[in-house]
Amino acid sequence: MPETLDAAARAELPALLPDWRMVEGRDAIFRSFRFADFSAAWGFMSRVALLAETQGHHPEWFNVWNRVDITLSTHDAGGLSDKDVALARAIDAIGG
Ligand code: H2B
């Protein structure tokens, strides 16, 4: 069972994940991506999906045309864990 991040790990989040923000009222992080068009957005989602499967950790997301909104939280832990940080960093590497 994964554990939620401790205070020291949370203090590192802004530097580690500057493009992500905390979700209000929930222990989760959020980032919105924009792409040139739907094809580029879907290509990104395909790469993230394969990556998420290898990590055994999956995003909550919403897509409309060129926009992909991603929320990360660890359901098994009831909040943010190091799995979310690892997935967010990998998503940043894919999505820019
Ligand atoms: N994804 C997320 N975001 N949180 C989880 O707790 C989680 C998951 N658990 N993907 C995984 C799957 C777990 O249910 C399986 C058994 O690995």
Side-chain angles (χ1 to χ4, degrees):
M1 188 72 81
E3 290 191 7
T4 53
L5 297 177
D6 62 19
R10 286 168 192 275
E12 288 175 19
L13 288 180
L16 221 50
L17 300 171
D19 297 316
W20 295 74
R21 63 163 173 79
M22 290 299 298
V23 174
E24 215 170 297
R26 192 178 164 199
D27 194 20
I29 53 175
F30 174 91
R31 182 176 173 186
S32 186
F33 290 84
R34 298 289 153 106
F35 297 93
D37 52 24
F38 179 72
S39 180
W42 194 264
F44 166 75
M45 292 177 77
S46 299
R47 291 194 294 280
V48 170
L50 295 173
L51 170 87
E53 195 62 2
T54 67
Q55 295 192 353
H57 198 63
H58 304 86
E60 300 168 30
W61 54 9
F62 173 82
N63 161 243
V64 57
W65 188 51
N66 69 338
R67 184 175 123 214
V68 182
D69 295 342
I70 301 184
T71 300
L72 298 178
S73 187
T74 302
H75 312 132
D76 295 341
L80 278 178
S81 77
D82 55 2
K83 286 171 171 270
D84 300 302
V85 177
L87 184 55
R89 284 166 65 87
I91 288 173
D92 282 350
I94 292 173

